[in-house]
Amino acid sequence: MTTAASLFAAVVILAPAAKAEPAQRIVSLNLCTDELALQLADRDKVVSVSFLANDPSLSTVAEQARGIFVNRGMLEQIVALKPDLVLAHRYASRSTTDGLRRLGYRVVEIESPQSIAATRQQIADVALAMGEVERGKALIATLDARLAALPMTAGRRPTAAIYQPNGYAFGRDSLADAILALAGFDNLAARDGVAGYARLSLESLIANPPDILVIEEGGGDQRSMAQQFLSHPALKDRFPPQARIEVPRRYWLCAGLSVAAAAELLARARVAQ
Amino acid sequence: MSLLAADRVTIARGQRVVLRDVSLGIKAGQVLGILGRNGAGKTTLLRALAGLQSIQSGAVTFDGTKLTDMPPRQRAQRIAYLEQSGSGAWPIASRDLVALGRLPHRPLYPLGSAKLNKQDEGAIDRALAATDATDFAIRSIDALSSGERARVLLARALAGEPKVLLADEPVAALDPGHQLGVMHMLRNQAQAGMAVVVVLHNLALAARFCQRLALLVDGALLAIGAPQEVLSDANLAQGFGIAALSGTAQGEHYVLPWRAL
Amino acid sequence: MTRSFKPVWLALTALCLMLFIVSLLTGPAGLTLDLPFAAWRGDAAARLVLVELRLPRALLGLLVGSSLGLAGAALQGLFRNPLAEPGVIGVSGCAALGAVLVFYSGASLAMPMALPLGGIAGALVAIALLQLLALRDPRLATILLAGVALAALAGALTALALNLSPNPYAVVEIVFWLMGSLADRSLQHVALALPFMAVGWVLMLSGARSLEALTLGEDTAHSLGIGLRSLRLRVVVGAALAVGAGVAVSGAIGFVGLIVPHLLRPFFGHRPAPLLAASWLGGGILTLTADIVVRFLGGDTELRLGVATALVGAPFFFWLVLRGPRSDMRGGT
C-alpha cells in the first residue's frame, strides 16, 4: 500500500473518533496497540492489554505490561472492564469490534503500515485518539532521531533477504523493505519480484543468494514445520553464520520504535562485516 | 494299518462339546465317508484330521506321529484338505490355482526365480488330467461353471501328491452329472493308493462310492464300517430320523431316503 | 506361472527410473535440464540445489510411494479385498496422529528418531485394531466401515492436537499432515525414514507366497503349511513400519495403495505374490508422477500432493464401490 493510501485510510478510520481529552480506561486487544498504548499513555490508564503482551519473544513492552490485566479479545470480558477507548487491529477480531461499536463503545483501529511515513502517521493518529498528542510527537521524534543516527553506506550496498518461517520473504512496498534500505542493504527479494509478504522458494534463494540472510533469532518454541523449515540443511550450508543476521521476531511484528531497533541491529551487523 | 488315525478325540467350543471321544482310522486305498446331521460335528472332525482344529483331549496321528508334533510343511505334503466353500478371492487362472497345491513342496522364500520346476509342472499336469480339467486350465477361475470349478479345486488338492485327501462336501452345490463325476474321481484316487475321506450329505453317493462309512450323531461316533452295516434301518432312524429303501443295482449298493419318521 | 512377466517388470522398472530422473530435473519453475551439468561443472549453488533439495524430494517420492503401493497390495492380500489400502482403512491417518503428537510436543526436536517411531506406533495401533476386528467378524463391510471410522477419528484427534498446540503455526499445518507433501524435505528426512521402510518392505515381501495361498481361504492356507499367525504379524508390522515412517516425513498421502494394485493386478494374472513387488514399483511411479505434476502446475502455493492423489483416487474408489460385487471383489471369508 502506498504512503498516500495508508495515510488516507488512517484518516478515514480515525476521523469520527478524534477527541481532545485523554482517555482514562484504555483496553488494547492487539499486540501492536498494546505497545502504542503503553508507550503513549500513563500505565495506570491502560486497563487491559492482549494476552501476547507478556511474551518477551513477541512483545517489545513485555516489562511494562507485567501486572496489567490480560484479555483474550472476548466481548464480555471487554465490556466488564468498562473502557472509554478500545484499541484494536483492523483485520483481527472483527466481530468483537463490530459488537463493541454496536454497544456504543469507542473503538479505534490500526492497520499494518507499509512505510516509515505511514508508521509516523499511525503513531500520530493513535496519540490523537488517546488524547496524548504531545507524547505522540515525542515518540515520533525519538524514532526519527534514531533513524537519522544510522551509519551511512559507503560503496556497494550488500544484498540481503529476510526469510521467515515457511519461506516467506518481505518484498518491495513493505515496511521491512524500507528498514533494510535504511540499514544500508539492497533487498534481494524485492529485486526477485516478491511484492509485499510472499513466498520465496528455497531453490530460488539457494540458486540466487543474497550476501546476507536475515532470519529470526533461534531458540524459543520451534515446534512447528514452518519454523523447522529454517533449519533446512541447504540453508545452513549456503548461509554459514557469517552470512546471517539474526533479528528477534518481535522487531518484525509491529510498526513503531521496533522499526528503529531493527534498522540499528541490521546496520551494526553490516558495518561489522 | 491306519495311515491317519483319530484316537479318542474330544473337541469343545466353550461350553459346548462338539466331538465326543471319537476314534477312527483311515487306510490307504479306501474312501471313508463321514455322515451325520447338520451340527453333528462332521466338518469339525475333518478339520481335526487335517490338523486345523485345536483338540481338547486325544490326538490325531499320521503314520504313528502326532500331527501336533509334525512340522506344518511336512504335514501339508502328506495331507491335503479341500475346503467346502472354495471360492478364491482373486480371479486367477485355473492352472495358477492348481499350482497353489504345490506350495508345500516349494521353498517359501524364493531367492531367485519364482518359476515352477519340472516336478511341479508334472504334478500339476497329472492333477489336471485326473480331474479332467486340462481343457480349461488357462481360463480364469470365475469364468468356469460350478462343475468345472469343483474339478479345478480338487486338482489343487491332488497337485500336492498327498497321501491323504480330506474333502468337505466336495459335491454339495453341483448338479447330478458333476456330482457323479467328482465322486468317480475320488474313488479313482483311492484305487490308485490314496486315502480319501469325504464329508457327505448325500446318502446315495455315500453308500455307492465309499468303502467305509462313519456316522456321527451329536458329536459321537454311532457306527463305523461297511455301508450296509452303517446304514441300517436303526442307524438311519437314530442318525437322520428317516427310513430308507436300499438294495443292489449293477453290482453297487444303493440307499434311497424314503420317509421322514 | 508358465507365463513370463518379464516385459512388465522391465517396463515398470524403466518407467520408475525415468520418472525419478525427471523429478530430479523438475524445479519450482518447471524443467531445469542444465542443472545436473552445472552441478557437475562445479557450480556450488547448482550442486546444493540438486543434492539437498531435488534429491530428497525425488527419493522420498520414490520411497514413500513405493511403501504405500506395497502396503496397499499386502493389506489387500491379507484382508482379501481390493478396497483395503492404508489411507482408506485409517492406517495413514493414525500414523499422522502419532507423528503429530511426537512433533508438536517437541519430542522429535530432542530425539529426531522419535518422529518415524511416532508414525509407526500410530500405524501399528490402527492395523492391529483392524486385524483383531477381522478375526472376530471377517465380513468385508465391517472391516471397511471400521477403517473409515478409524480414519475419521484419527483426523479429528489430529485436528484437536494441532488446535491445542500453543505454537501459532500448528493449526495451519494440519493441511500438511492430512494431505501430505514432499516439498522442502531434506536428506535427514530420508535417513530417518528409510531404515524403517526397508525393514517393512522385507517383512511384507516375505509374505508373498503365503498371501498367494490365502487366496483360497484361511483353512486351505493353513492346510498348505502356511503359518497364519506369522503371516499376519509380518504384514501388519511390515505395513506399519513402511507406512508409519513414510507418513511421519511426508504426511498422509492417500489412495496410492488403492489405485496401484488395482491397475497392476490384471498384468500379473491377479496373483497376489508378484503383485507385491510390482506395487512397490507402481507406487513409486504414481507418486513421482503426481509430485512432478504438482510442480508443473506451479503457482505461489504449491498444490499439496495428497490433494492431487485424492482428486484422482477418490473418484476411482467411488467407481470401484459402485461397480458392485464382481469377480475380483469377492472379499474375505
Side-chain angles (χ1 to χ4, degrees), chain C residues 62-72 86 197 201 204 239 242-243 246 280 283-284:
Chain C
L62 174 63
L63 301 176
V64 172
S66 306
S67 298
L68 292 171
L70 174 58
M197 284 191 204
W201 299 336
M204 284 189 277
V243 171
W280 188 94

Side-chain angles (χ1 to χ4, degrees), chain B residues 133 136 139 141 143-153 174 178:
Chain B
F136 42 88
R139 281 158 54 193
I141 186 84
L144 302 177
S145 70
S146 59
E148 290 167 332
R149 196 176 310 143
R151 277 141 66 191
V152 168
L153 291 170
L174 302 179
H178 293 130

